[in-house]
Amino acid sequence: MFLPTRKSITISIIILLLNQTTTLVSSKCTCDDNSNDNNNVSEALKYKLIAMTTTLVASIIGVCLPIMAKNYRYLNPENDFYFLVKSFAAGVILATGFIHILHDAFENLTNPCIGEKPWGLFPFSGFVAMLAAIGTLIMEALLTGYHKRSELMKAQPLEDEDEEVHHHHHGAGGGNVLNPALPSSNRLDSPEDSPDHLRNSIVSQILELAIVAHSIIVGVSLGVSQSPNTIKPLVAALSFHQCFEGMGLGACISQAQFKNYTVVIMVLFFCFTIPTGIGVGIGISKIYNEGSPKALIVEGILLSASAGILIYMALVDLLASDFMNPKMLRSLRLQLAAILALLVGVICMSLLVLWEGP
């Protein structure tokens, strides 16, 4: 029977410690800039320029389709089909928040490069997302309340003033109703002052800010990458991503009934975000290290906040308001169709993860 000697035991322990040390070192080496692998700067630049063009075109198509569709009777916001378009778009936005953004935020804030304390001791990605969702709710409530109180304060003095003018011209006992031609008669009845218009305006603006924040990070990350193998699968995935997200944003903009110049500004702001981010990434690619602790923390926090806002907007402002709409509640067929459109949007956006790769 073979009995291990003291020397063999010592050698075994040394080998075991060396293996453990090698494992630890290799896990810590992920913080280094690995952008030198498979680098081809000229080829990567070519794909970046292609990405700028395709994402711009896809963004324009996606955001403009719902806006232009209101000119057609069957795609009018008052039509049943529009509920299906919004449900599909809400599913896309919901999957973007849960599957794409929150996942990336979790990876950034649990990366071993940023240290165990405090990032490894608490789920900061979920916490920031929760705070962002609560902050969005508070912002919407405060803005809506402010506008409603402003309307009431402006309407009451004008109404009293109209009564005095009427009393002066017709006498105290005339008993006639107020002149409908007076300016204040339609002040609260105009579409721009309606509660739905106000709510849709706030929703569309907050939604665009959340999408833009995420798009800037995505664009800069793609712009600083020097690996064609990393960029190539992202070109098509980001194009579909922008098209689907644009449909959701365009539906909200269309429903808000902004003035033409406001619509143009919001559309351009959305469409040029990723191309601009890619351009910025190209400019700083030589000095920016996306694997540095500071970059990981900043990106992780911003991505978490964007995810929280998008998830809140999709569930509360888009889905809940439409699914509780009396028109939908009266039609089981419309409800089932909207649920199907929602699931299709979620599945389509979720499957893009396979296209983007690890």
Side-chain angles (χ1 to χ4, degrees):
M1 182 178 180
F2 174 74
L3 293 176
T5 63
R6 182 179 300 177
K7 183 178 180 180
S8 63
I9 294 175
T10 304
I11 293 174
S12 300
I13 292 175
I14 292 174
I15 293 174
L16 180 62
L17 290 176
L18 287 174
N19 288 335
Q20 293 294 326
T21 304
T22 304
T23 303
L24 289 174
V25 170
S26 63
S27 65
K28 292 180 181 179
C29 286
T30 56
C31 303
D32 297 333
D33 189 3
N34 296 324
S35 59
N36 292 326
D37 299 336
N38 300 320
N39 277 6
N40 188 328
V41 177
S42 60
E43 187 179 359
L45 180 61
K46 179 183 71 173
Y47 285 111
K48 290 174 189 179
L49 296 177
I50 293 174
M52 293 175 71
T53 304
T54 55
T55 53
L56 176 62
V57 173
S59 300
I60 293 173
I61 293 173
V63 75
C64 289
L65 273 178
I67 296 174
M68 302 300 294
K70 66 181 181 181
N71 298 324
Y72 298 92
R73 182 180 58 82
Y74 57 94
L75 290 177
N76 191 277
E78 301 300 326
N79 195 285
D80 291 350
F81 185 73
Y82 203 78
F83 282 103
L84 306 185
V85 174
K86 283 191 67 180
S87 297
F88 173 82
V92 168
I93 294 172
L94 190 63
T96 300
F98 274 115
I99 305 298
H100 292 259
I101 306 179
L102 195 59
H103 171 73
D104 293 342
F106 177 80
E107 284 191 340
N108 281 13
L109 295 181
T110 56
N111 194 298
C113 302
I114 64 176
E116 179 68 19
K117 295 181 180 181
W119 306 103
L121 304 178
F122 188 79
F124 281 96
S125 54
F127 181 69
V128 174
M130 178 185 67
L131 291 182
I134 295 174
T136 306
L137 169 65
I138 295 172
M139 185 185 301
E140 281 190 26
L142 292 177
L143 287 175
T144 305
Y146 171 77
H147 283 289
K148 292 299 295 181
R149 290 189 296 270
S150 299
E151 290 173 5
L152 292 175
M153 291 176 65
K154 291 178 181 178
Q156 187 62 41
L158 287 173
E159 186 177 345
D160 295 340
E161 186 177 322
D162 293 340
E163 289 179 357
E164 292 179 5
V165 173
H166 177 77
H167 178 79
H168 176 73
H169 286 288
H170 298 277
N176 294 328
V177 295
L178 293 176
N179 186 353
L182 289 174
S184 63
S185 58
N186 292 325
R187 174 172 293 271
L188 296 178
D189 296 331
S190 63
E192 294 185 356
D193 291 330
S194 65
D196 288 339
H197 173 268
L198 177 62
R199 182 176 175 279
N200 291 329
S201 300
I202 295 173
V203 167
S204 59
Q205 293 176 53
I206 296 177
L207 179 61
E208 175 155 16
L209 288 176
I211 292 175
V212 164
H214 166 236
S215 298
I216 290 174
I217 297 173
V218 171
V220 172
S221 299
L222 190 148
V224 298
S225 177
Q226 301 294 353
S227 173
N229 294 334
T230 301
I231 300 173
K232 279 192 288 187
L234 289 176
V235 174
L238 285 179
S239 299
F240 282 101
H241 184 280
Q242 285 298 103
C243 185
F244 290 153
E245 268 194 347
M247 290 177 63
L249 178 61
C252 292
I253 293 175
S254 176
Q255 207 166 27
Q257 299 178 355
F258 288 115
K259 294 180 180 179
N260 290 335
Y261 70 89
T262 304
V263 173
V264 171
I265 292 174
M266 294 184 72
V267 168
L268 293 178
F269 201 58
F270 167 74
C271 293
F272 283 94
T273 302
I274 279 192
T276 302
I278 296 175
V280 172
I282 294 173
I284 65 173
S285 58
K286 293 183 179 180
I287 60 174
Y288 179 79
N289 180 14
E290 58 183 342
S292 67
K294 289 183 180 179
L296 290 170
I297 292 172
V298 172
E299 286 184 11
I301 292 175
L302 291 177
L303 287 173
S304 299
S306 299
I309 295 173
L310 290 179
I311 292 169
Y312 170 85
M313 302 291 288
L315 290 175
V316 178
D317 291 326
L318 298 179
L319 291 174
S321 61
D322 281 353
F323 274 69
M324 295 296 108
N325 189 295
K327 189 174 184 179
M328 185 177 289
L329 294 176
R330 287 193 295 264
S331 174
L332 177 61
R333 182 179 177 181
L334 183 58
Q335 281 184 316
L336 295 177
I339 292 172
L340 179 61
L342 169 64
L343 294 177
V344 170
V346 168
I347 292 171
C348 288
M349 201 64 199
S350 299
L351 290 178
L352 283 181
V353 173
L354 300 177
W355 201 335
E356 292 177 359

Coordinates of all heavy atoms in Angstrom, one line a residue, residues 116-152:
E116 N -15.0 44.6 -4.8 CA -16.0 43.8 -4.1 C -16.9 44.8 -3.2 O -18.1 44.6 -3.1 CB -15.4 42.8 -3.2 CG -16.4 42.0 -2.4 CD -17.3 41.1 -3.2 OE1 -16.9 40.8 -4.4 OE2 -18.3 40.7 -2.7
K117 N -16.2 45.8 -2.6 CA -16.9 46.7 -1.8 C -17.0 48.1 -2.4 O -16.0 48.6 -2.9 CB -16.2 46.8 -0.4 CG -16.2 45.6 0.4 CD -15.4 45.8 1.7 CE -15.4 44.5 2.5 NZ -14.7 44.6 3.8
P118 N -18.2 48.7 -2.5 CA -19.5 48.2 -2.0 C -20.3 47.4 -3.1 O -21.4 46.9 -2.8 CB -20.2 49.4 -1.5 CG -19.8 50.4 -2.6 CD -18.4 50.1 -2.9
W119 N -19.8 47.4 -4.3 CA -20.6 47.0 -5.4 C -21.0 45.5 -5.4 O -22.0 45.1 -5.9 CB -19.8 47.3 -6.7 CG -19.4 48.7 -6.8 CD1 -18.2 49.2 -6.6 CD2 -20.3 49.8 -7.1 NE1 -18.2 50.6 -6.7 CE2 -19.5 51.0 -7.0 CE3 -21.6 50.0 -7.4 CZ2 -20.0 52.3 -7.2 CZ3 -22.1 51.2 -7.6 CH2 -21.3 52.3 -7.5
G120 N -20.2 44.7 -4.8 CA -20.5 43.3 -4.7 C -21.3 42.9 -3.5 O -21.8 41.8 -3.3
L121 N -21.6 43.9 -2.6 CA -22.4 43.6 -1.4 C -23.8 43.9 -1.5 O -24.6 43.6 -0.6 CB -21.7 44.3 -0.2 CG -20.2 44.1 0.0 CD1 -19.7 44.9 1.2 CD2 -20.0 42.6 0.3
F122 N -24.2 44.6 -2.6 CA -25.6 45.1 -2.7 C -26.0 45.1 -4.2 O -25.2 45.5 -5.0 CB -25.7 46.5 -2.1 CG -27.1 47.0 -2.0 CD1 -27.9 46.6 -0.9 CD2 -27.6 47.9 -2.9 CE1 -29.2 47.1 -0.8 CE2 -28.9 48.4 -2.8 CZ -29.7 48.0 -1.8
P123 N -27.2 44.8 -4.5 CA -27.7 44.8 -5.9 C -28.0 46.2 -6.4 O -29.2 46.6 -6.5 CB -28.9 43.9 -5.9 CG -29.5 44.0 -4.5 CD -28.3 44.2 -3.6
F124 N -27.0 47.0 -6.7 CA -27.1 48.4 -7.0 C -27.9 48.5 -8.4 O -28.6 49.5 -8.5 CB -25.8 49.0 -7.1 CG -25.2 49.4 -5.8 CD1 -24.2 48.6 -5.2 CD2 -25.6 50.6 -5.2 CE1 -23.7 48.9 -4.0 CE2 -25.0 50.9 -4.0 CZ -24.1 50.1 -3.4
S125 N -27.8 47.6 -9.3 CA -28.5 47.8 -10.6 C -30.0 47.8 -10.4 O -30.7 48.7 -10.9 CB -28.0 46.7 -11.6 OG -28.3 45.4 -11.0
G126 N -30.5 46.8 -9.6 CA -31.9 46.8 -9.3 C -32.4 48.0 -8.5 O -33.4 48.5 -8.7
F127 N -31.5 48.4 -7.5 CA -31.8 49.5 -6.7 C -31.9 50.8 -7.4 O -32.9 51.6 -7.3 CB -30.8 49.6 -5.6 CG -31.0 50.7 -4.6 CD1 -32.0 50.6 -3.7 CD2 -30.2 51.8 -4.6 CE1 -32.3 51.7 -2.7 CE2 -30.4 52.9 -3.7 CZ -31.4 52.8 -2.7
V128 N -31.0 51.1 -8.3 CA -31.0 52.3 -9.1 C -32.2 52.3 -10.1 O -32.9 53.3 -10.3 CB -29.7 52.5 -9.9 CG1 -29.8 53.6 -10.9 CG2 -28.5 52.7 -8.9
A129 N -32.5 51.1 -10.7 CA -33.6 51.0 -11.6 C -34.9 51.3 -10.8 O -35.8 52.0 -11.3 CB -33.7 49.6 -12.2
M130 N -35.1 50.8 -9.6 CA -36.2 51.0 -8.8 C -36.4 52.5 -8.5 O -37.5 53.1 -8.6 CB -36.2 50.2 -7.5 CG -37.3 50.5 -6.5 SD -37.1 49.6 -5.0 CE -35.7 50.4 -4.3
L131 N -35.3 53.2 -8.1 CA -35.3 54.6 -7.8 C -35.7 55.4 -9.0 O -36.4 56.4 -8.9 CB -34.0 55.1 -7.2 CG -33.6 54.5 -5.8 CD1 -32.2 55.1 -5.4 CD2 -34.6 54.9 -4.8
A132 N -35.2 55.0 -10.2 CA -35.5 55.7 -11.4 C -37.0 55.6 -11.7 O -37.6 56.6 -12.2 CB -34.7 55.2 -12.5
A133 N -37.6 54.4 -11.5 CA -39.0 54.2 -11.8 C -39.8 55.1 -10.8 O -40.8 55.7 -11.2 CB -39.4 52.7 -11.6
I134 N -39.4 55.1 -9.5 CA -40.2 55.9 -8.6 C -40.0 57.4 -8.9 O -41.0 58.2 -8.8 CB -39.7 55.6 -7.1 CG1 -40.0 54.2 -6.7 CG2 -40.3 56.6 -6.1 CD1 -39.4 53.8 -5.4
G135 N -38.8 57.8 -9.3 CA -38.6 59.2 -9.7 C -39.4 59.6 -10.9 O -39.9 60.7 -10.9
T136 N -39.6 58.7 -11.8 CA -40.4 59.0 -13.0 C -41.8 59.2 -12.6 O -42.5 60.1 -13.1 CB -40.3 57.8 -14.0 OG1 -38.9 57.6 -14.3 CG2 -41.0 58.2 -15.3
L137 N -42.3 58.3 -11.7 CA -43.7 58.5 -11.2 C -43.9 59.8 -10.5 O -44.9 60.5 -10.8 CB -44.0 57.3 -10.2 CG -45.3 57.5 -9.4 CD1 -46.5 57.4 -10.3 CD2 -45.4 56.4 -8.4
I138 N -42.9 60.2 -9.6 CA -43.0 61.4 -8.9 C -43.0 62.6 -9.9 O -43.8 63.6 -9.8 CB -41.9 61.5 -7.9 CG1 -42.1 60.5 -6.8 CG2 -41.9 62.9 -7.3 CD1 -40.9 60.4 -5.8
M139 N -42.1 62.6 -10.9 CA -42.0 63.6 -11.9 C -43.3 63.8 -12.7 O -43.7 64.9 -12.8 CB -40.8 63.4 -12.8 CG -40.5 64.5 -13.8 SD -39.2 64.0 -15.0 CE -37.9 63.7 -13.8
E140 N -43.8 62.7 -13.1 CA -45.1 62.8 -13.8 C -46.2 63.4 -13.0 O -47.0 64.2 -13.5 CB -45.5 61.4 -14.3 CG -44.8 60.9 -15.6 CD -45.4 59.7 -16.1 OE1 -46.6 59.4 -15.9 OE2 -44.7 58.9 -16.8
A141 N -46.3 62.9 -11.8 CA -47.4 63.4 -10.9 C -47.2 64.9 -10.6 O -48.2 65.7 -10.7 CB -47.4 62.6 -9.6
L142 N -46.0 65.4 -10.3 CA -45.7 66.8 -10.0 C -46.0 67.7 -11.2 O -46.6 68.7 -11.1 CB -44.3 67.0 -9.5 CG -44.0 66.3 -8.1 CD1 -42.5 66.6 -7.8 CD2 -44.9 67.0 -7.0
L143 N -45.5 67.2 -12.4 CA -45.7 68.0 -13.6 C -47.2 68.1 -14.0 O -47.7 69.2 -14.3 CB -44.9 67.4 -14.8 CG -43.4 67.6 -14.7 CD1 -42.7 66.9 -15.9 CD2 -43.0 69.1 -14.8
T144 N -47.9 67.0 -13.9 CA -49.3 67.0 -14.2 C -50.1 67.9 -13.2 O -50.9 68.7 -13.6 CB -49.9 65.6 -14.2 OG1 -49.1 64.8 -15.1 CG2 -51.3 65.6 -14.7
G145 N -49.8 67.7 -11.9 CA -50.4 68.6 -10.9 C -50.1 70.0 -11.1 O -51.0 70.9 -11.0
Y146 N -48.9 70.4 -11.5 CA -48.5 71.8 -11.7 C -49.3 72.4 -12.8 O -49.9 73.5 -12.7 CB -47.0 71.9 -12.0 CG -46.6 73.3 -12.4 CD1 -46.5 74.3 -11.5 CD2 -46.3 73.5 -13.8 CE1 -46.1 75.6 -11.9 CE2 -45.9 74.8 -14.2 CZ -45.8 75.8 -13.3 OH -45.4 77.0 -13.7
H147 N -49.4 71.6 -13.9 CA -50.2 72.2 -15.1 C -51.7 72.3 -14.8 O -52.3 73.2 -15.2 CB -49.9 71.3 -16.3 CG -48.6 71.5 -17.0 ND1 -48.3 72.6 -17.7 CD2 -47.5 70.7 -17.0 CE1 -47.0 72.5 -18.1 NE2 -46.5 71.3 -17.7
K148 N -52.2 71.3 -14.1 CA -53.6 71.4 -13.8 C -53.9 72.6 -12.9 O -54.9 73.3 -13.1 CB -54.1 70.1 -13.1 CG -54.0 68.9 -14.0 CD -55.0 69.0 -15.2 CE -56.4 69.1 -14.8 NZ -57.4 69.3 -15.9
R149 N -53.1 72.8 -11.9 CA -53.3 73.9 -11.0 C -53.1 75.2 -11.7 O -53.9 76.2 -11.5 CB -52.3 73.9 -9.8 CG -52.6 72.7 -8.8 CD -51.8 72.8 -7.6 NE -50.4 72.7 -7.9 CZ -49.7 71.5 -7.9 NH1 -50.4 70.4 -7.6 NH2 -48.4 71.4 -8.1
S150 N -52.2 75.3 -12.6 CA -52.0 76.5 -13.4 C -53.2 76.8 -14.3 O -53.6 78.0 -14.4 CB -50.8 76.4 -14.3 OG -49.6 76.2 -13.5
E151 N -53.8 75.8 -14.9 CA -55.0 76.0 -15.7 C -56.1 76.5 -14.9 O -56.9 77.4 -15.3 CB -55.4 74.6 -16.4 CG -54.4 74.2 -17.5 CD -54.8 72.8 -17.9 OE1 -55.8 72.2 -17.5 OE2 -54.0 72.2 -18.8
L152 N -56.3 75.9 -13.7 CA -57.4 76.4 -12.9 C -57.3 77.8 -12.4 O -58.2 78.6 -12.3 CB -57.6 75.4 -11.7 CG -58.0 74.0 -12.0 CD1 -58.0 73.1 -10.7 CD2 -59.4 74.0 -12.6

